């Protein structure tokens, strides 16, 4: 069992949703990127998602796309991302890499899986890889005992949900809205129905992401999901922090962690 | 098919190891819907009638072939025939695909189309069809391209389309496609992404091919009428590759016909400043398909370069990747300078201003003609006209401003 699976099981035993926090590696550079990701952990995030900066992030809104651009300009490489993963996983937290597919294929799927396992990572989230095209990744993730998180969306048919959840391991990533990453004012009205549909096909934990950015939204999503996934809100904090970005990240993680625990919020 | 060649792509959109779907799950339902609508239309005589009427009465098909005799004097004695897609309404082959997909859009009950455009030809064609069918239309175009193709931006706006200048990444076609995908994943319920080339996720490579193959079907009959035999070579420029697939498809099963795709060699492949994806790229995944990609060792897409905005793309359609690997088509780079020389030669010998994209095919035709020598017959896809490129060409040849 991966650290991720253990973590999600523990949260479930505590009767609460897990908090998953995302930041790209090397954002704004390698050292500060590691510091920001560790600040997620210090602030109370249960699972860390490390973004692998990519030149063509079609599922990302302007905030994360700009962060990827900053990271690439700072010289982000797969080697840097793997070192970042190692630095984060060494804290004992469950850590995954979120990556578009081409860098993995270019690195070679088997070699990438071995490197992730070696760095102490739990697995990959693959937003543009469908199980239909994932033969090499299914084999490699089995060989290296890694979790594989595929996405479902409000537009997914029941057939697609059945197929996708069959190949997921760790958790199922439910995209709460039709769209790209980025904080929305309103919590999704489609997400609860999607999560309910997913549960008809799997006992795996279901994480909800896209559009969640505040403690109130986190608390709301935590009522029906097993994991609350927050990305753009953290990235925005880093962009906005004039001096101490890790402190800003830590503060938001703390608010969101309280949110998923159902604590009274911001009154 | 006659059983010699298996029918491609397969049901999941694969051409050998290429093609397929590498997209967010959120788009799968829309791609499936399109695949179903496409298959139904292909089997529906009523659809074909409707499309044929549009192509003849609106777009100006069939386009003629023109023998370029004075141009061919520079081609080693070979005869050169131009398939005149530049004579269609809106001035390029793009209209063929756009009218087909606009009909599909209506059949799917969607009210809005979006499209990417590089040179602006696909954007203009899409804006045109949107006006004709009463659809809302948004065109994504790299900021760099809106500058060098300003005339086409104005044309699209006159036709009622919103033109969004994309200032992300390299600010060219690749980034326009990213932005169009972002729009689509958000608005897919009522929006059709009217994809302009034979790249992208399944079923786009098959859909666009099916609407462009009329180029080769017409040209095959026309060249048989003109010279009494099949050509020795068929040549086309390749960016994403839609005009090339359009003219190649009718000849794929003719073993005596050699097929050549000419990519943008930019400043020269050896300089790294080019868009010769098949000549100098490697296998990868970009914009929803496994294909050839210009990429670095980490799989990051490399910036491409070409004087021609329509060829300035670091990917290529997956069927081309397959045709390269099977050896059926030979892909070669043509530099900016070679293309511009061919552009000027055609203008001065035949009175035709070609699009800079098509000028790459013309340069290739000269090269292949010299190889074939006297008696050779070369069929060239003249994919578009050069009105949009007048400013770029005038500045290349130093014809602007003070003498």
């Amino acid at each position: 069992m991966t650290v991720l699976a253990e973590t999600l099981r523990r949260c479930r035993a505590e009767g609460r949703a897990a908090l998953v926090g995302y930041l790209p590696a090397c954002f704004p550079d390698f050292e500060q990127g590691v510091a920001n990701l560790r600040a997620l952990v210090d602030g109370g995030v249960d699972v860390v998602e490390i973004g692998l900066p990519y030149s063509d992030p079609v599922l990302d809104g302007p905030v994360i796309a700009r962060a990827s651009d900053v990271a690439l300009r700072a010289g982000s490489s797969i080697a840097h991302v793997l070192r970042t993963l190692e630095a984060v996983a060494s804290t004992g937290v469950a850590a995954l890499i979120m990556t578009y597919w081409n860098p993995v294929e270019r690195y070679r799927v088997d070699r990438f899986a071995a490197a992730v396992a070696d760095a102490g990572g739990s697995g990959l989230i693959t937003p543009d890889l469908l199980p239909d095209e994932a033969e090499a990744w299914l084999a490699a993730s089995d060989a290296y005992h890694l979790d594989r998180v595929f996405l479902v969306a409000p537009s997914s048919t029941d057939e697609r949900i059945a197929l996708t959840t069959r190949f997921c391991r760790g958790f199922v990533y439910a995209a709460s809205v039709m769209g790209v990453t980025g904080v929305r004012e309103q919590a999704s009205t489609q997400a609860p129905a999607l999560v309910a549909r997913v549960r008809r096909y799997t006992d795996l934990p279901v994480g909800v992401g896209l559009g969640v950015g505040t403690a109130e939204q986190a608390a709301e999503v935590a009522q029906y999901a097993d994991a609350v996934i927050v990305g753009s809100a953290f990235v925005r904090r880093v962009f906005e922090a004039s001096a101490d970005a890790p402190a800003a990240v830590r503060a938001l993680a703390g608010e969101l962690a309280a949110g998923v625990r159902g604590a009274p919020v911001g009154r | 098919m006659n059983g010699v060649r298996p029918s491609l792509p397969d049901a999941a959109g694969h051409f050998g190891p290429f093609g397929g779907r590498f997209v967010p799950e959120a788009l799968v339902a829309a791609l499936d819907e399109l695949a179903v609508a496409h298959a139904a239309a292909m089997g529906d005589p009523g659809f074909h009638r409707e499309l044929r009427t549009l192509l003849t009465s609106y777009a100006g098909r069939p386009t003629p072939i023109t023998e370029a005799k004075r141009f061919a004097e520079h081609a080693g004695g070979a005869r050169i025939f131009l398939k005149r897609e530049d004579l269609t309404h809106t001035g390029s082959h793009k209209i063929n695909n756009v009218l087909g997909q606009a009909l599909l859009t209506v059949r799917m009950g969607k009210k809005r189309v979006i499209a990417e455009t590089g040179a602006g030809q696909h954007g203009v064609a899409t804006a045109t069809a949107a006006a004709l069918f009463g659809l809302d239309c948004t065109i994504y175009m790299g900021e760099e391209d809106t500058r060098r193709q300003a005339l086409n931006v104005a044309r699209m706006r006159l036709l009622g389309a919103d033109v969004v200048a994309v200032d992300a990444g390299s600010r060219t076609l690749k980034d326009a496609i990213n932005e169009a995908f972002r729009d689509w994943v958000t608005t897919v319920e009522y929006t059709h992404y009217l994809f302009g080339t034979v790249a992208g996720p399944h079923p786009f490579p098959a859909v666009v091919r099916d609407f462009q193959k009329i180029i080769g079907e017409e040209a095959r009959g026309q060249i048989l009428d003109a010279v009494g035999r099949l050509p020795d070579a068929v040549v086309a420029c390749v960016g994403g590759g839609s005009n090339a697939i359009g003219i190649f498809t009718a000849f794929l099963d003719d073993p005596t016909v050699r097929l050549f795709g000419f990519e943008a060699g930019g400043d020269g492949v050896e300089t790294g400043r080019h868009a010769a994806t098949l000549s100098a790229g490697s296998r990868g995944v970009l914009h929803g398909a496994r294909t050839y990609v210009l990429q670095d060792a980490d799989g990051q897409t490399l910036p491409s370069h070409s004087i021609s905005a329509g060829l300035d793309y670091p990917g290529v359609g997956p069927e081309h990747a397959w045709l390269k690997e099977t050896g059926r088509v030979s892909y070669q780079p043509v530099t900016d300078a070679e293309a511009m020389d061919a552009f000027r030669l055609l203008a001065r010998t035949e009175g035709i201003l070609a699009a800079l994209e098509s000028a790459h095919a013309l340069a290739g035709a000269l090269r292949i003609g010299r190889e074939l020598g006297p008696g050779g017959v070369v069929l060239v896809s003249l994919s578009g006209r050069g009105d949009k490129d007048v400013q770029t060409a005038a500045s290349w040849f130093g014809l602007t401003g003070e003498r």
Side-chain angles (χ1 to χ4, degrees):
Chain A
M1 185 182 282
T2 61
V3 182
L4 172 66
E6 283 168 21
T7 303
L8 294 175
R9 176 184 287 193
R10 194 183 64 240
C11 292
R12 195 174 262 189
E14 290 172 17
R16 67 171 178 94
L19 176 62
V20 182
Y22 164 97
L23 279 171
C26 298
F27 171 59
D29 62 24
F30 173 71
E31 300 292 341
Q32 295 181 76
V34 169
N36 289 333
L37 281 154
R38 283 189 158 157
L40 287 174
V41 183
D42 295 342
V45 157
D46 301 295
V47 176
V48 175
E49 230 183 83
I50 302 167
L52 191 152
Y54 176 53
S55 52
D56 295 275
V58 292
L59 197 59
D60 283 307
V63 173
I64 291 179
R66 191 152 64 92
S68 298
D69 210 39
V70 168
L72 289 170
R73 280 168 209 269
S76 172
S77 67
I78 290 177
H80 283 117
V81 175
L82 291 168
R83 277 165 56 199
T84 301
L85 174 64
E86 194 167 15
V88 172
S90 70
T91 65
V93 77
L96 298 125
I97 289 181
M98 168 111 165
T99 180
Y100 290 90
W101 191 241
N102 192 51
V104 180
E105 195 154 299
R106 180 70 165 159
Y107 197 83
R108 290 209 326 273
V109 179
D110 192 70
R111 179 174 166 230
F112 195 89
V116 168
D118 208 40
S122 290
L124 301 184
I125 302 173
T126 51
D128 65 347
L129 182 69
L130 305 171
D132 322 46
E133 299 280 355
E135 202 178 328
W137 168 230
L138 297 179
S141 53
D142 284 347
Y144 294 97
H145 307 290
L146 294 172
D147 287 330
R148 47 184 188 237
V149 178
F150 295 106
L151 279 69
V152 294
S155 62
S156 300
T157 60
D158 286 355
E159 290 73 21
R160 293 291 311 170
I161 290 176
L163 174 104
T164 304
T165 55
R166 194 159 70 239
F167 290 105
C168 281
R169 197 158 56 207
F171 68 96
V172 179
Y173 191 128
S176 73
V177 291
M178 294 297 290
V180 295
T181 58
V183 176
R184 270 86 171 165
E185 303 242 320
Q186 301 289 321
S188 164
T189 53
Q190 297 169 297
L194 175 60
V195 171
R197 286 205 291 145
V198 171
R199 292 202 195 283
R200 293 215 294 270
Y201 296 97
T202 182
D203 293 328
L204 280 173
V206 185
V208 169
L210 296 197
V212 184
T214 65
E216 290 84 348
Q217 290 171 336
E220 195 183 323
V221 172
Q223 288 170 17
Y224 59 87
D226 303 298
V228 180
I229 306 165
V230 179
S232 295
F234 285 117
V235 173
R236 206 155 67 182
R237 286 287 171 106
V238 175
F239 273 124
E240 285 167 1
S242 45
D244 194 352
V249 168
R250 199 160 45 239
L252 178 59
E255 293 166 28
L256 294 163
V260 299
R261 285 169 176 79
V265 168
R267 302 260 147 73
Chain B
M1 273 329 115
N2 52 18
V4 177
R5 217 161 40 88
S7 178
L8 292 177
D10 69 14
H14 297 112
F15 301 88
F18 301 106
R21 270 184 197 167
F22 294 83
V23 293
E25 165 67 24
L27 292 177
V28 169
L31 293 169
D32 282 344
E33 181 189 17
L34 176 61
V36 168
H38 169 237
M42 289 299 104
D44 175 1
F47 180 88
H48 289 286
R49 263 197 309 276
E50 202 175 351
L51 180 57
R52 186 163 303 273
T53 301
L54 278 169
L55 289 172
T56 52
S57 70
Y58 187 73
R61 302 209 73 88
T63 58
I65 58 170
T66 301
E67 181 166 13
K69 287 185 178 158
R70 282 180 20 86
F71 180 77
E73 286 169 13
H74 302 262
R79 298 176 70 182
I80 294 183
F81 291 83
L82 310 175
K83 177 60 173 166
R84 300 292 305 278
E85 294 301 296
D86 61 316
L87 294 179
T88 57
H89 179 46
T90 72
S92 82
H93 71 290
K94 293 294 188 186
I95 194 74
N96 305 328
N97 165 51
V98 162
L99 289 174
Q101 284 198 51
L103 286 179
L104 291 182
T105 305
V106 172
R107 287 189 158 213
M108 291 186 291
K110 295 190 171 183
K111 306 288 182 216
R112 176 175 180 258
V113 289
I114 56 171
E116 81 294 347
T117 198
Q121 294 301 88
H122 177 58
V124 166
T126 302
T128 299
L132 181 65
F133 288 90
L135 303 167
D136 287 336
C137 179
T138 301
I139 304 294
Y140 291 94
M141 190 168 186
E143 197 180 46
E144 162 78 8
D145 293 336
T146 61
R147 193 186 51 71
R148 56 181 166 176
Q149 304 286 348
L151 179 69
N152 273 343
V153 174
R155 288 169 81 194
M156 290 182 270
R157 291 190 169 138
L158 288 170
L159 291 161
D162 285 331
V163 180
V164 178
V166 178
D167 67 357
S170 59
R171 300 167 190 221
T172 59
L173 179 55
K174 156 180 104 70
D175 308 283
I177 294 175
N178 291 342
E179 209 54 39
F181 270 115
R182 290 183 184 119
D183 180 322
W184 201 32
V185 76
T186 310
T187 62
V188 64
E189 207 179 316
Y190 57 90
T191 300
H192 175 58
Y193 184 0
L194 209 163
F195 204 71
T197 191
V198 289
H202 175 64
F204 284 118
V207 169
V208 179
R209 177 193 64 193
D210 286 348
F211 291 138
Q212 291 293 4
K213 67 183 183 189
I214 192 168
I215 302 173
E217 287 167 356
E218 286 177 5
R220 197 172 187 279
Q222 290 165 324
I223 198 92
L224 283 170
D225 285 348
V227 300
R229 67 177 181 88
L230 290 170
D232 299 297
V234 176
V235 310
C237 65
V238 179
S242 70
N243 91 91
I245 285 291
I247 200 163
F248 290 164
T249 299
F251 298 96
L252 284 175
D253 290 333
D254 297 316
T256 61
V257 180
R258 295 164 71 197
L259 305 175
F260 296 91
F262 292 97
E263 302 191 286
D267 292 345
V269 166
E270 68 288 349
T271 67
R273 281 174 50 78
H274 62 82
T277 306
L278 290 164
S279 307
S282 53
R283 212 184 266 204
V285 171
L286 181 65
H287 293 146
R290 184 179 289 116
T291 182
Y292 269 63
V293 181
L294 295 177
Q295 58 183 333
D296 71 11
D298 267 5
Q300 306 288 347
T301 311
L302 291 170
S304 55
H305 167 79
S306 170
I307 192 164
S308 146
L311 303 184
D312 198 350
Y313 180 55
V316 67
E319 188 170 5
H320 284 294
W322 177 238
L323 291 170
K324 172 194 163 73
E325 291 224 342
T326 59
R328 180 64 187 94
V329 180
S330 163
Y331 296 89
Q332 303 175 13
V334 161
T335 63
D336 287 354
E338 291 173 291
M340 293 311 292
D341 285 349
F343 170 90
R344 180 166 61 182
L345 185 62
L346 189 76
R348 294 192 173 183
T349 57
E350 302 290 341
I352 298 171
L353 289 179
L356 298 187
E357 292 75 22
S358 318
H360 289 71
L362 293 166
L366 295 173
R367 192 186 291 171
I368 301 306
R370 288 169 195 145
E371 215 179 287
L372 292 172
V377 173
V378 182
L379 173 66
V380 186
S381 174
L382 192 70
S383 56
R385 64 177 176 236
D387 310 35
K388 68 190 173 59
D389 299 311
V390 165
Q391 203 170 14
T392 305
S395 116
W396 174 274
F397 293 114
L399 305 177
T400 52
E402 305 277 316
R403 293 270 169 150

